[in-house]
Structure formats: structure tokens, C-alpha cells
């Protein structure tokens, strides 16, 4: 792999913009308003990338379609994190054969993390011949050029060269909704947790310049966005590659210092790099949401070591203690992997005891899935799936009980929420800690902070009624 990251030159991006104009002209000349459908799998990094893909498509004259039927371009932005995620993509790509038969001019593109794996690209080349183009995360900025090539030659295009990654500033973005926005602060990951495919498909850690980030956030606040989430696989590494003497806590403090009424969040933090300074910065600013997603993965030291996580259970717990000491209201969430190769039932029980101790507000729980090319995929994995399922169910049951107890604790309290949408005639909003709240109210409250009295709860959400405004 090439180990140098590159900043894409502005001339190269200007060229892509010119290609967009040409594609727009091409459609205009035919008197057609073309339609595009972008389907996103995986995490917020992919959601953020899809906003760029939509932005580039809009610049090429495309309107966004609700589904794949009849769309002139379909882009599937894929995820490689677990086997199940990949199977869903293969199933959906397979089904597109029929969609394309009904609309023969349709161009189908696959991108995202699965396309960062050479064996997947080979499989698409050989067995999914209705796919017109593939690009991996490093080549995303070249999408207009690839689209034009596919449109003008009718040939398949593959842009999946391996790379340490690049930073491309100034790609147009088409965001969904006008209340919450994601802002990538860095790309890639250097951690190489032994089970994880991300460092292989997204390249080395690279940080955006703080001025670029501040400029983007200022623009969002001016346009009325009220909830900004800073994104990165491990935001705590922010700035290490820049040499500007700015770390993530500094960046956070600077953004929180911008004028306006908004909440600022971030994800994800690796526990080995989360600092007291970060917690102190959060505690000091009323605009930084008191919410922390701190994936622990396992509560057992041997398993953590095998996972190459580089912290111990005790270190993790002391971090949580410190966070709660400076922010007693802190909402904590985490990710857990059940059934890592060689994990025993006793070791799994250490994870159970950890979650009982920490009492997370919510957990994202996964059964280990071997990923080709990662060290863990080579480790002996003797525990049968059924047994892992049983552990998984124990974990979910324990966490549901905790989440429900925590939710019950909200009932009768008044909390500030940001109304962010409406579903089936009911408004939805989030608390500062990210809890989902449903309430009755007019849709023009969307984008507003509202005080709500919590009247009821389920495992996953709260119900409330607005206090008189
Ligand atoms: N960068 C983030 C999260 C990346 S992926 C972090 O470090 O926390 C999100 C979650 O998917 C991980 O936290 C982990 O719990 C889970 N995950 C990653 N690889 C996995 C695998 N091979 N099998 C099962 N779960 C996995
Ligand atoms: Fe994967 Fe670990 Fe990097 Fe997260 S920190 S993306 S789990 S390698
Ligand atoms: Fe999936 Fe890639 Fe995110 S593998 S979880 S979409 S970084």
C-alpha cells in the first residue's frame, strides 16, 4: 500500500466540477431531467460520503429519486464491517438486474468500504455484470469523471486502486434535512483493532485543516442547523498528523465558541486516546452535548489485548469515572463485540459485569464476524454460533433492563429537546444526550429547542408533552 496521503489539488477538483457542467448540458440537450438514487449502508461516515455523492449528482443536473425504480443512476454506498452488511448489499445488487431490465439506460455504481477490498471488486467484475462502475472511498472525488466515462462509452469503469487516502476539500454537499448535520473532521484509522476492516478500506488517519472545518460549521449555523456532529473513526487522534499543535479538545472548544444556539457532538472516541482534557472541555461548554460514545468492545483484559485495543478494563472504568465526576448528567453509550475468537463464557461474563457497573444509556451489540485480511480472522474460533447467540441474548436482555430503568428515571422530569422531524403525525426530537422523544406539536417546531415534560417511556424512546411556550 502507498503510505502517503495526498491533498487533492484544487485544479483536479475544478476539473470534476467542469465535468459536472458537461453532464448537465448533456441531459439538458436531450430535454431530460435525470433522476438519481443513492442508497447508503453502514455508519455515519458513509452517510456523510453519500451527501457528497448526492452533491456531485445534483451538480450534474440530477434530481434525487425516492427509490431505484426508473432512476437514471443508482449508487449503492456499501459497508464492509460485518458479513451480514455485505450479504445485504450482494442481495440488493442482485435484485437490480430486474430494475435495469425495465430501464436499460440505467447506470449502476457501487462504492464505499466493500469496494476497498480487492476480492469484492473482483467478484463484482466477474459475477455482477450489470454493475457499470465501482469506486473505493479514496476515489470518491472522481465520481463525476467516472460517471461521464460510463455514460459516454457505455463501458464499465473500475476505480479501486489501493491508496493511503486523500483529502478533497470543496466537493459539493447535498444534505438531508435542515436541523442536524455531520461534519467530517478526519478520515481513516490507524488503530488496526484485530477484528476490524476499516483501516484497510479507509486508509490512514488524516485530519482536515481546522480552518476548513470552522468554515463549514459557520456556514451550517448561518443556514440554521442546530445540531452538529463531528465525525471520525477516532476523533481523539485529530490533529496529530497536522503538526499545528491543535488536538481534538482544542478544535471542539473553538467550534463551541462560535456564536449561536446549537448543540455540538462528536463520534467516535477510542478509549485509549480519550483525555481528561477532552472531558474538561466538554464540561466547560454548555454547547457541547453531554453525550459520549465510548466503545469498550469487551470487559475482559485478555480479550481486549487480543483485540489490540490497548487499554485495560480498569483504565476504561477510571475514564468513565472521571467523565461522570465532571459531568454527572453524562449520557454514555458503547459498542460491544460478543464471541471474539477464543472468548470463553467467563470472559464474556466480564463484559456483562462491566455493563452492569457502567450502566450505559444504550449499547450497540454485535456478534463477531470474521473479516478477510484481518488478524482475528486467522485466530481459532471454536465457540459455536448458537452459543454466541445465547451470550448475545443475555447481553441484550441485561442492557434492555438497564435502558428501561434509565428511561423510567426521566418520567416526570422536564428536559430541553431539539425537534428534528415528524413521523406519522407525531413530532420527534432528541435530548442533549441523544435520547429520542416523541411529542405532539405543530411541524413548524422542527428546528427549534422546546422544553418537554416526559410523560412515558419505552426501551428505546421517551414520550413527552411540551411545556407551555
Ligand atoms: N471507529 C469506531 C467504530 C467502527 S465500527 C470505533 O473504534 O469505535 C463500529 C463497531 O462495529 C465497532 O465499534 C465494533 O463494535 C463493531 N465491529 C467492528 N468490526 C467488527 C467485526 N469484525 N465483527 C463484529 N463487530 C465488529
Ligand atoms: Fe476499527 Fe478499531 Fe479503527 Fe474503530 S478504532 S475503526 S474498531 S480499527
Ligand atoms: Fe461500514 Fe465503512 Fe462505516 S465498513 S461501519 S461504512 S467505515
Amino acid at each position: 500500500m502507498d503510505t502517503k496521503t495526498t491533498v487533492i489539488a484544487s485544479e483536479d477538483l475544478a476539473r470534476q466540477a467542469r465535468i459536472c457542467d458537461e453532464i448537465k448540458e448533456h441531459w439538458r440537450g436531450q430535454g431530460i431531467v435525470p433522476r438519481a438514487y443513492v442508497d447508503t449502508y453502514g455508519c455515519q461516515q458513509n452517510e456523510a460520503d453519500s451527501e457528497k455523492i448526492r452533491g456531485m449528482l445534483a451538480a450534474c443536473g440530477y434530481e434525487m429519486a425516492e427509490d431505484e425504480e426508473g432512476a437514471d443512476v443508482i449508487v449503492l454506498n456499501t459497508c464492509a464491517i460485518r458479513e451480514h452488511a455485505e450479504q445485504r448489499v450482494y442481495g440488493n445488487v442482485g435484485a437490480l438486474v430486474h430494475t435495469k431490465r425495465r430501464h436499460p439506460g440505467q447506470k449502476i455504481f457501487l462504492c464505499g468500504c466493500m469496494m476497498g477490498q480487492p476480492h469484492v471488486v473482483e467478484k463484482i467484475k466477474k459475477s455482477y455484470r450489470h454493475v457499470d462502475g465501482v469506486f473505493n472511498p479514496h476515489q470518491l472525488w472522481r465520481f463525476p469523471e467516472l460517471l461521464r466515462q460510463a455514460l459516454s462509452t457505455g463501458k464499465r469503469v473500475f476505480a479501486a486502486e489501493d491508496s493511503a487516502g486523500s483529502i478533497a476539500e470543496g466537493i459539493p454537499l447535498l444534505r438531508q434535512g435542515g436541523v442536524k448535520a455531520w461534519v467530517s473532521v478526519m478520515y481513516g484509522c490507524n488503530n488496526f483493532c484485530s477484528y476490524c476492516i476499516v483501516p484497510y478500506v479507509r486508509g490512514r488517519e488524516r485530519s482536515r485543516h481546522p480552518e476548513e472545518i470552522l468554515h463549514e460549521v459557520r456556514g451550517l449555523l448561518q443556514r440554521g442547523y442546530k445540531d452538529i456532529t463531528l465525525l471520525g473513526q477516532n476523533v481523539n487522534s485529530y490533529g496529530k498528523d497536522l503538526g499545528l499543535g491543535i488536538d481534538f479538545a482544542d478544535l471542539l472548544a473553538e467550534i463551541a465558541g462560535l456564536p449561536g444556539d446549537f448543540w455540538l457532538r462528536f463520534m467516535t472516541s477510542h478509549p485509549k486516546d480519550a483525555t481528561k482534557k477532552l472531558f474538561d472541555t466538554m464540561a466547560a461548554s454548555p454547547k457541547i452535548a453531554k453525550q459520549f460514545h465510548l466503545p469498550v468492545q469487551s470487559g475482559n483484559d485478555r480479550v481486549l489485548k487480543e483485540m489490540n485495543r490497548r487499554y485495560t478494563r480498569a483504565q476504561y472504568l477510571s475514564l468513565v469515572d472521571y467523565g461522570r465526576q465532571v459531568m454527572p448528567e453524562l449520557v454514555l453509550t458503547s459498542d460491544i463485540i460478543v464471541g471474539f475468537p477464543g472468548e470463553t463464557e467467563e470472559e464474556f461474563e466480564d463484559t456483562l459485569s462491566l455493563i452492569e457497573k457502567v450502566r450505559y444509556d444504550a449499547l450497540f451489540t454485535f456478534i463477531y464476524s470474521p473479516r478477510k485480511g484481518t488478524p482475528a480472522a486467522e485466530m481459532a474460533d471454536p465457540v459455536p454460533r448458537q452459543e454466541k447467540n445465547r451470550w448475545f441474548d443475555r447481553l441484550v436482555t441485561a442492557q434492555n433492563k438497564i435502558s428501561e430503568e434509565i428511561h423510567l428515571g426521566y418520567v416526570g422530569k422536564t428536559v430541553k429537546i431539539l425537534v428534528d422531524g415528524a413521523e406519522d403525525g407525531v413530532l420527534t426530537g432528541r435530548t442533549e444526550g441523544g435520547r429520542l422523544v416523541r411529542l405532539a406539536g405543530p411541524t413548524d417546531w422542527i428546528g427549534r429547542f422546546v422544553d418537554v415534560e416526559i410523560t412515558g417511556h419505552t426501551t428505546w424512546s421517551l414520550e413527552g408533552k411540551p411545556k407551555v411556550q
Side-chain angles (χ1 to χ4, degrees):
M1 187 195 278
D2 180 2
T3 52
K4 263 187 44 221
T5 62
T6 43
V7 175
I8 306 299
S10 56
E11 311 82 88
D12 289 333
L13 286 160
R15 187 172 151 257
Q16 299 299 321
R18 282 199 300 279
I19 294 174
C20 287
D21 290 340
E22 286 166 26
I23 296 176
K24 203 175 189 170
E25 266 318 300
H26 157 85
W27 289 112
R28 198 179 284 152
Q30 300 194 14
I32 292 172
V33 179
R35 293 166 66 243
Y37 178 64
V38 181
D39 197 6
T40 314
Y41 300 76
C43 67
Q44 282 85 351
Q45 331 280 326
N46 258 17
E47 294 287 352
D49 283 350
S50 284
E51 291 180 342
K52 291 184 183 163
I53 295 167
R54 287 194 193 93
M56 290 188 273
L57 284 164
C60 296
Y62 288 80
E63 276 184 1
M64 296 307 128
E66 288 294 305
D67 58 37
E68 44 281 86
E69 203 57 58
D72 299 285
V73 172
I74 296 176
V75 183
L76 262 58
N77 191 4
T78 65
C79 169
I81 203 80
R82 284 169 289 274
E83 170 86 31
H84 177 69
E86 295 202 342
Q87 289 313 333
R88 270 183 59 214
V89 169
Y90 283 126
N92 291 347
V93 178
L96 290 179
V97 167
H98 308 291
T99 325
K100 192 165 179 173
R101 209 167 280 150
R102 289 191 289 273
H103 192 74
Q106 190 166 62
K107 296 290 171 205
I108 300 173
F109 277 84
L110 302 186
C111 63
C113 295
M114 271 174 83
M115 304 305 133
Q117 302 177 98
H119 71 272
V120 174
V121 176
E122 273 313 300
K123 185 165 167 173
I124 299 295
K125 252 187 200 161
K126 284 211 185 84
S127 314
Y128 294 82
R129 304 210 50 94
H130 59 296
V131 172
D132 298 282
V134 160
F135 55 98
N136 68 16
H138 308 307
Q139 312 289 333
L140 178 114
W141 64 277
R142 290 178 55 214
F143 177 45
E145 164 192 342
L146 304 171
L147 177 59
R148 182 178 66 176
Q149 210 178 321
L151 285 170
S152 62
T153 66
K155 293 202 178 118
R156 307 173 81 199
V157 284
F158 288 85
E161 298 81 40
D162 199 1
S163 148
S166 54
I167 291 195
E169 293 292 356
I171 297 179
L173 282 177
L174 187 63
R175 296 184 192 268
Q176 290 185 315
V179 182
K180 297 193 282 192
W182 290 305
V183 175
S184 295
V185 298
M186 59 183 302
Y187 306 99
C189 181
N190 287 355
N191 287 317
F192 289 94
C193 301
S194 64
Y195 49 81
C196 185
I197 195 73
V198 172
Y200 302 88
V201 294
R202 290 221 165 229
R204 298 291 62 73
E205 278 172 8
R206 50 215 190 270
S207 307
R208 290 179 69 194
H209 197 283
E211 276 311 318
E212 296 280 359
I213 299 168
L214 280 161
H215 176 73
E216 184 171 340
V217 177
R218 266 190 221 106
L220 288 167
L221 297 175
Q222 274 160 12
R223 279 181 282 140
Y225 284 88
K226 293 278 189 288
D227 193 302
I228 310 286
T229 305
L230 307 181
L231 283 184
Q233 289 298 349
N234 176 20
V235 290
N236 297 314
S237 295
Y238 176 80
K240 285 184 186 163
D241 55 325
L242 290 175
L244 297 173
I246 286 190
D247 67 11
F248 183 65
D250 300 328
L251 177 73
L252 203 57
E254 231 181 289
I255 299 175
L258 293 174
D261 195 10
F262 62 95
W263 277 333
L264 181 61
R265 315 171 187 278
F266 55 88
M267 69 185 301
T268 300
S269 290
H270 194 301
K272 81 173 162 53
D273 299 316
T275 57
K276 287 189 172 174
K277 178 178 169 189
L278 177 59
F279 285 116
D280 293 342
T281 306
M282 288 175 75
S285 170
K287 292 187 192 173
I288 304 176
K290 304 297 174 277
Q291 174 193 15
F292 214 101
H293 183 61
L294 195 60
V296 66
Q297 314 297 357
S298 164
N300 175 271
D301 282 342
R302 191 197 68 82
V303 175
L304 285 172
K305 192 154 191 291
E306 290 293 305
M307 287 178 163
N308 192 30
R309 290 291 287 180
R310 288 170 281 169
Y311 53 83
T312 61
R313 174 188 174 104
Q315 283 165 340
Y316 183 92
L317 288 173
S318 89
L319 206 55
V320 167
D321 275 350
Y322 186 77
R324 286 192 166 147
Q325 192 187 315
V326 294
M327 292 172 285
E329 71 280 38
L330 187 65
V331 166
L332 260 181
T333 56
S334 198
D335 294 348
I336 305 258
I337 296 178
V338 173
F340 183 80
E343 185 177 40
T344 65
E345 183 148 16
E346 291 72 52
E347 288 168 338
F348 161 73
E349 281 168 355
D350 285 342
T351 300
L352 265 186
S353 79
L354 181 128
I355 71 142
E356 299 284 359
K357 205 172 169 77
V358 175
R359 291 181 63 79
Y360 294 103
D361 289 74
L363 271 189
F364 299 87
T365 46
F366 310 104
I367 292 184
Y368 168 74
S369 170
R371 306 284 66 212
K372 197 178 160 131
T374 61
E378 306 299 317
M379 296 176 188
D381 190 3
V383 175
R385 176 72 187 208
Q386 259 182 334
E387 184 70 358
K388 293 187 182 183
N389 287 345
R390 212 170 51 74
W391 300 353
F392 183 82
D393 291 344
R394 282 176 73 189
L395 180 66
V396 171
T397 306
Q399 179 57 41
N400 283 351
K401 186 163 172 282
I402 297 168
S403 293
E404 243 183 285
E405 286 164 5
I406 293 176
H407 271 169
L408 185 63
Y410 279 93
V411 176
K413 290 199 174 132
T414 296
V415 293
K416 180 168 145 181
I417 67 159
L418 174 61
V419 181
D420 58 16
E423 255 172 39
D424 310 322
V426 179
L427 293 183
T428 57
R430 296 268 170 184
T431 64
E432 181 179 341
R435 300 287 86 210
L436 176 64
V437 180
R438 296 175 203 283
L439 72 158
T443 48
D444 66 358
W445 282 2
I446 295 173
R448 267 207 236 162
F449 289 103
V450 176
D451 284 331
V452 169
E453 186 188 329
I454 302 302
T455 51
H457 75 101
T458 67
T459 310
W460 299 112
S461 67
L462 301 168
E463 282 145 34
K465 67 169 199 277
K467 299 291 266 189
V468 182
Q469 297 292 301

